[in-house]
Amino acid sequence: MTRQVGVLGPLTIHVAGQEVHVAATKQRCLLGLLALHAGQVVSRDEIIEVLWPGKVPHSCSELVTGYVSRLRRAGLEIELVGTGYRLVADTDLHAFDALADRDLLADALACWRGPVLADLPDQVRAHPLAVAAARRRLDVTLKFADTAIQSGRHADAVTQLRQLDEPLHEGLHARLGLALAGSGQQAAALQLFTDIRRRLVDELGVEPSHELQTAHQQVLRQDISRPATKPAQLTADVRGFTGRADYLSELDRLRTAPAVVIAGMPGVGKTALAVHWGHRAREHFPDGQLQADLRGQNVLGRFLRALGVPPEGVPADADEAAALYRTLLSGKRMLVLLDNATDVQQVRPFLPGTSGSLVLVTSRNRLDGLVVKDGARQVILNSLPVAESHELLGALGVPDEGIAELAQLCAHLPLALRITAADLAAHPHRPLAEHISLLRNGNRLAALEVHGDEESAVRAAFATSYQTLDDQAAALFRLLAWIPGPDFAAGVASYLLESPAERSLETLAAAHLIQPTSGGRYTFHDLLRLYGRELGPSPVDRFHDWCLGNLCSATEMLYAAEYPAHVAHPGTPVAFTEPHGALAWLDAERPTLVATISQAPDALAWQLAALMRGYFSIHPHVIDWEIIVTRALRAARAVNDVRGEIIGLHSLADLRMRQCRSREALTHAARALAMSRDTGWGVGETTALTQLAFGHAAVGDLDEAVRHANHLVEMHEVGRMLGLMAIGMVSGWRGDTRTATESYTVTLALAEKFGEPNCAVASLAALAYIHRESGDIDQAGALLAETSRFTDVPLKRPVQSLLLCEYAMLHSHLGEHETALEYAHSAITIAATLGDPSFESGTLETLGAVCHRRGDHREAIRHYFRALDLAVRGGQRHTEARINLGLAAALTSLKDHTQAAAHTAHAEEIAREAGFHGLYARS
């Protein structure tokens, strides 16, 4: 059933073709408001404000509901959305806008029957949407009048213009005067000019504008057939223009600026955006549009001739020509589009001397001088987002099944996207898969060319910018193009250039051949990287030296004890002065290092990967870790480096433990142990035994864990430190707190002796746990306070999480529940970055315990169940048993004794099977 509501005049309602009468004023006001928003939700607050602009009745909300019900009974469809309402109906306002958008101006104006909602009270007729609709009617009427007058249909222009009540609108009266004179009503036209001048002087105290005076002079000269000079030089709007909504909105916002510079890399669509926006904004520049490519000759002279200056009247002197240009633009509202500006000197002669006109500039350079000195605003245009690049290819006729891959191969660059779409259209019999293969496997830049139009090629667009660079910037561009990974910093640029690179980086960034990102880093567009690699050889050896030197220095700074002795230190290391700087460098360069390891020669690849094992133990990015450990093992085996393979197995075992694939981890560690013993490599044996001791403990095989820990204790003092840490953990789980305390105490002393902060902090946290569980809260707090001695060193994230959990429990026992919650949530935040369910389950268990102790038992149960799911999936038997006991306690507090007993029984079953005797006391 069709529903139509008219608002362009008195309110009208038609349902299924029949007119419907609604008499009540409030209901009509409500319907008028909903119709102005048709298809959109109107909040209840806005409805009440419009219906009762003065005193609001107490029952206003109920009254609104009643009005809606009566309108629905009249046949209207009004949806309740939240607390607001949405009218589902066709409106004449929608029809008007649709026709106007298609430039069907006469049909659009025919939708109007009078002022918006003419028969409703002032508060509805003055609504911003009603005012905006009236403004759109005015704009369309003026546009229609211009077309009608230029085509000699003066009477039609008079008819439409006289329907508007705009007594002080000079543009309307200028057109009406010309239309009256053109239709033979010379006296009426002159009287109109006299009347509008009187009103302007009497009511506003101003003389008529240049536009109105010019129209008056035309009528006096009876020069109606030739309209005032109004250039319309914008090139045709771009076919298939899509997206860029944010940029278009930004240009709308900057419309009143004296100049706007659209800057961006070659081929990014600067001109297309400028032209498209220019067409969209024409109504705001009623005096016309000028457009020129600044690579052309005598642009200023061409503009002057377009503004009506005869060729013989164009000054030969550039300054005089610019002055005349400013004079002609004075008081006018014009759009001046300057394409392909290379520097500020090209643009400044075109800046108007008065406000009203806009100079819109496109440039591959930022033109910062215009911003600083001339008040210009800047819009930096980037490649299309993925969705918009897909939309563009679809609009250009590319089949759906090829859009995603073609967009990626074109790196979402508009010029490349349009070229590949044109190439597809030019070769309709070539299979889509073949076209994609040419881009993927062939010379991609060569494929992104238009046959017979070399200037439209992507490579040609890039070359234009590259050729403007000085020698050092050009050399740096060629070098940087070979860096793998998504971005790079100034340090590697200077290293490759063998001299300070900051100035050249700024030159490249200003030319949009590289893009600045956060943290003082830069990135390459994929196609620019390909272009740069065509221009010169790879500096791969020097780049690899930079990677190896920095990695060695960072490793020595952050985890010296874990430095792979089998990796030779390069002769030119880059020294880090403090641990946080080394860690920040690793965080920033991780993607580049991963990409480098993936491409490096075998002999180097496994060494770089070995140096990153310690980093991944601090920040375990499991996807990247998987990539490099797989590459490391393949590389070490390819060059038959046994110790390199052992290091790779150590790293793989660590990764699998983090992924809770414990049995696989134990297999890799056992293989590393056997290979280490076969080759007599004690360092490899120590690492493997440590992994086996803690790995077997995690899966509940405590006897095997102790066996490997005892081997460690017997090896050397470092082995003793690691072995006693494992023995302390197992002893605590077995309920032997005395042995656990002794083991952790010795471990702490050895960790301080060997400068192992992570081991020291973990030992202090474990000792604090033992004392807290025994009721000695003061001693537990004292032990945790000692950890502050190690805050100047970046701790491994698992250790940070463990420490925060223990702080949370300490404050919980002290009754400081809010502080406890803060520590627990901080621990969860860190654990979530680890990609390790075992640590996440432990932190959620802590949060559950904190909630239980503060009396929020239902919230505690929710966290416990999340923790239990992670612990079970990760095979963490001790954690699983503890969580079941926590659940039992929370359920008991809620008097759910049946479920509490079930969880207690399950915890006891696990403890009995694994020998977790320490849990019996808790149960």
Side-chain angles (χ1 to χ4, degrees):
M1 181 165 50
T2 60
R3 298 172 177 86
Q4 297 173 310
V5 179
V7 298
L8 304 183
L11 179 69
T12 61
I13 310 162
H14 290 82
V15 177
Q18 299 296 315
E19 186 171 5
V20 175
H21 295 282
V22 174
T25 301
K26 292 294 187 187
Q27 293 176 42
R28 292 176 65 79
C29 288
L30 172 57
L31 179 58
L33 177 63
L34 293 175
L36 289 173
H37 289 84
Q40 298 178 327
V41 178
V42 186
S43 71
R44 190 173 293 258
D45 288 342
E46 182 178 351
I47 293 171
I48 292 169
E49 182 180 344
V50 171
L51 294 187
W52 294 281
K55 185 177 180 180
V56 178
H58 294 299
S59 59
C60 59
S61 185
E62 291 78 6
L63 288 171
V64 170
T65 302
Y67 298 156
V68 170
S69 296
R70 295 185 189 100
L71 290 172
R72 286 171 175 165
R73 286 199 294 271
L76 292 164
E77 182 179 353
I78 301 175
E79 298 176 339
L80 175 64
V81 182
T83 60
Y85 294 99
R86 175 169 56 206
L87 174 68
V88 181
D90 297 326
T91 68
D92 49 5
L93 180 56
H94 280 172
F96 164 73
D97 286 333
L99 291 166
D101 287 343
R102 294 163 56 196
D103 275 342
L104 300 175
L105 306 181
D107 292 338
L109 292 173
C111 294
W112 287 80
R113 297 169 285 108
V116 180
L117 297 170
D119 58 340
L120 294 187
D122 290 347
Q123 70 264 25
V124 183
R125 288 187 284 111
H127 190 279
L129 290 181
V131 174
R135 174 58 59 184
R136 294 201 295 280
R137 180 192 189 186
L138 172 62
D139 293 340
V140 171
T141 301
L142 297 180
K143 188 175 180 181
F144 172 84
D146 287 339
T147 303
I149 292 169
Q150 290 173 9
S151 61
R153 294 182 292 113
H154 299 94
D156 292 342
V158 170
T159 300
Q160 292 295 344
L161 290 167
R162 276 186 163 164
Q163 292 185 29
L164 300 179
D165 182 17
E166 296 283 349
L168 296 174
H169 194 290
E170 297 179 75
L172 185 151
H173 285 82
R175 290 166 175 83
L176 181 56
L178 292 172
L180 285 168
S183 60
Q185 303 178 62
Q186 180 82 0
L190 292 172
Q191 184 61 48
L192 178 134
F193 287 123
T194 299
D195 293 344
I196 180 64
R197 180 185 180 279
R198 183 184 303 113
R199 285 196 298 274
L200 289 170
V201 172
D202 291 348
E203 298 183 31
L204 301 180
V206 298
E207 289 290 336
S209 66
H210 175 77
E211 178 184 16
L212 193 57
Q213 293 182 42
T214 300
H216 188 199
Q217 290 300 316
Q218 280 185 259
V219 172
L220 289 172
R221 295 194 308 268
Q222 298 187 3
D223 181 15
I224 305 306
S225 60
R226 180 176 64 84
T229 301
K230 180 181 175 180
Q233 295 186 346
L234 281 183
T235 53
D237 202 354
V238 180
R239 182 177 74 89
F241 186 95
T242 59
R244 300 300 200 192
D246 290 344
Y247 290 103
L248 291 169
S249 297
E250 178 72 359
L251 289 172
D252 287 341
R253 190 179 67 82
L254 299 176
R255 194 177 63 236
T256 57
V260 175
V261 179
I262 302 175
M265 66 175 287
V268 80
K270 300 179 293 294
T271 302
L273 175 65
V275 169
H276 181 74
W277 183 81
H279 281 283
R280 198 173 90 150
R282 277 183 304 180
E283 64 186 57
H284 299 290
F285 303 100
D287 295 312
Q289 314 95 37
L290 298 168
Q291 180 178 349
D293 188 330
L294 291 182
R295 292 177 296 190
Q297 298 296 316
N298 194 19
V299 172
L300 196 54
R302 296 208 312 270
F303 279 2
L304 290 173
R305 290 192 294 275
L307 291 169
V309 177
E312 63 274 12
V314 175
D317 180 77
D319 291 339
E320 290 183 14
L324 177 58
Y325 163 84
R326 289 192 295 274
T327 299
L328 293 173
L329 257 63
S330 178
K332 291 187 177 181
R333 292 164 59 197
M334 295 192 69
L335 174 65
V336 182
L337 199 165
L338 303 175
D339 202 17
N340 290 308
T342 58
D343 55 50
V344 296
Q345 285 74 27
Q346 279 186 305
V347 176
R348 282 200 173 113
F350 297 95
L351 298 178
T354 59
S355 62
S357 295
L358 170 67
V359 177
L360 185 60
V361 184
T362 73
S363 179
R364 299 178 182 189
N365 301 314
R366 289 198 304 255
L367 306 186
D368 293 336
L370 288 179
V371 177
V372 174
K373 186 175 179 181
D374 302 290
R377 305 298 293 273
Q378 198 174 68
V379 174
I380 304 299
L381 190 61
N382 296 315
S383 293
L384 287 169
V386 173
E388 291 185 11
S389 64
H390 291 184
E391 185 182 355
L392 175 57
L393 287 177
L396 296 174
V398 175
D400 290 346
E401 61 270 23
I403 284 178
E405 188 162 6
L406 284 173
Q408 184 177 15
L409 289 167
C410 293
H412 310 288
L413 186 69
L415 176 60
L417 293 167
R418 290 185 175 278
I419 289 173
T420 201
D423 194 35
L424 272 172
H427 300 87
H429 302 297
R430 179 197 293 165
L432 179 62
E434 182 181 336
H435 185 85
I436 291 173
S437 178
L438 285 172
L439 286 172
R440 187 195 308 115
N441 302 319
N443 186 322
R444 199 183 314 176
L445 292 179
L448 293 172
E449 293 179 352
V450 178
H451 182 68
D453 186 3
E454 293 184 0
E455 290 188 1
S456 295
V458 171
R459 182 187 282 114
F462 292 168
T464 301
S465 292
Y466 173 75
Q467 289 162 5
T468 66
L469 300 175
D470 60 71
D471 291 345
Q472 182 165 297
L476 184 59
F477 177 75
R478 297 191 299 270
L479 293 170
L480 294 174
W482 290 96
I483 296 178
D487 58 10
F488 56 87
V492 67
S494 297
Y495 191 86
L496 294 177
L497 195 61
E498 300 184 59
S499 66
E502 285 75 10
R503 184 176 294 276
S504 293
L505 286 170
E506 179 58 28
T507 298
L508 294 174
H512 292 280
L513 291 173
I514 59 175
Q515 297 169 343
T517 61
S518 60
R521 300 181 68 79
Y522 301 86
T523 187
F524 256 108
H525 187 274
D526 288 349
L527 295 180
L528 275 169
R529 181 182 284 111
L530 289 177
Y531 175 69
R533 290 181 179 183
E534 287 185 350
L535 301 174
S538 167
V540 64
D541 291 339
R542 186 164 179 80
F543 175 68
H544 286 163
D545 286 346
W546 179 82
C547 292
L548 187 61
N550 278 279
L551 260 180
C552 287
S553 295
T555 301
E556 288 181 331
M557 174 65 68
L558 289 169
Y559 30 83
E562 298 176 39
Y563 187 94
H566 197 45
V567 175
H569 205 298
T572 56
V574 179
F576 293 100
T577 58
E578 46 86 26
H580 291 283
L583 185 56
W585 181 86
L586 283 166
D587 284 337
E589 299 297 341
R590 172 177 55 83
T592 296
L593 292 169
V594 171
T596 301
I597 291 168
S598 299
Q599 302 171 15
D602 293 333
L604 177 66
W606 77 259
Q607 295 184 65
L608 294 174
L611 288 162
M612 291 196 73
R613 178 184 163 229
Y615 169 73
F616 281 123
S617 71
I618 297 175
H619 287 187
H621 303 274
V622 292
I623 295 175
D624 287 345
W625 197 352
E626 184 84 43
I627 292 170
I628 71 159
V629 75
T630 302
R631 172 72 180 114
L633 283 168
R634 187 171 67 247
R637 288 163 182 162
V639 295
N640 197 30
D641 195 302
V642 177
R643 290 189 176 181
E645 182 178 353
I646 292 170
I647 295 172
L649 288 168
H650 290 153
S651 189
L652 186 56
D654 283 343
L655 172 60
R656 293 294 180 255
M657 284 300 297
R658 288 292 168 83
Q659 296 170 320
C660 289
R661 295 158 63 175
S662 305
R663 295 298 175 188
E664 291 180 52
L666 293 172
T667 298
H668 296 308
R671 173 67 177 151
L673 177 63
M675 292 177 67
S676 297
R677 286 173 172 171
D678 287 346
T679 56
W681 191 30
V683 174
E685 183 180 1
T686 300
T687 302
L689 283 170
T690 303
Q691 292 175 324
L692 288 166
F694 285 96
H696 280 291
V699 298
D701 192 350
L702 303 190
D703 290 338
E704 193 66 11
V706 171
R707 185 174 72 83
H708 289 297
N710 284 331
H711 282 305
L712 278 169
V713 171
E714 294 167 1
M715 290 184 69
H716 40 62
E717 283 202 303
V718 172
R720 185 170 176 237
M721 176 186 71
L722 298 169
L724 286 173
M725 173 69 84
I727 289 171
M729 182 176 70
V730 171
S731 299
W733 290 359
R734 284 176 163 171
D736 185 357
T737 55
R738 178 178 177 181
T739 302
T741 301
E742 292 173 352
S743 299
Y744 284 131
T745 301
V746 176
T747 299
L748 174 61
L750 291 170
E752 294 191 79
K753 176 180 178 180
F754 295 120
E756 284 290 331
N758 287 287
C759 194
V761 170
S763 299
L764 285 166
L767 288 167
Y769 171 85
I770 292 171
H771 284 281
R772 176 175 55 79
E773 285 291 299
S774 68
D776 191 352
I777 303 301
D778 290 341
Q779 182 59 23
L783 288 163
L784 289 179
E786 287 190 47
T787 63
S788 62
R789 293 187 283 124
F790 304 98
T791 55
D792 59 336
V793 177
L795 296 173
K796 294 181 180 181
R797 293 202 168 190
V799 176
Q800 294 178 37
S801 177
L802 174 69
L803 180 60
L804 289 168
C805 282
E806 195 51 43
Y807 266 115
M809 291 306 298
L810 174 69
H811 286 283
S812 181
H813 276 269
L814 291 171
E816 300 167 354
H817 299 302
E818 296 308 314
T819 303
L821 280 174
E822 289 181 15
Y823 276 112
H825 282 297
S826 297
I828 287 173
T829 300
I830 291 176
T833 68
L834 294 173
D836 184 341
S838 65
F839 284 104
E840 194 169 355
S841 66
T843 56
L844 285 168
E845 178 200 0
T846 298
L847 182 56
V850 169
C851 290
H852 173 53
R853 292 186 65 84
R854 73 194 293 260
D856 194 350
H857 308 302
R858 296 189 187 281
E859 188 72 3
I861 290 170
R862 188 173 70 85
H863 295 308
Y864 275 138
F865 272 120
R866 288 178 58 205
L868 185 61
D869 178 61
L870 291 167
V872 170
R873 283 196 285 129
Q876 303 295 309
R877 300 292 282 164
H878 193 267
T879 305
E880 180 184 353
R882 290 198 317 267
I883 294 168
N884 272 287
L885 290 177
L887 271 169
L891 288 163
T892 298
S893 297
L894 293 175
K895 310 239 183 286
D896 189 347
H897 299 295
T898 302
Q899 288 296 318
H903 285 288
T904 300
H906 188 50
E908 290 177 347
E909 181 184 356
I910 295 172
R912 184 168 53 254
E913 291 175 355
F916 299 147
H917 306 302
L919 292 175
Y920 281 118
R922 290 180 60 181
S923 67

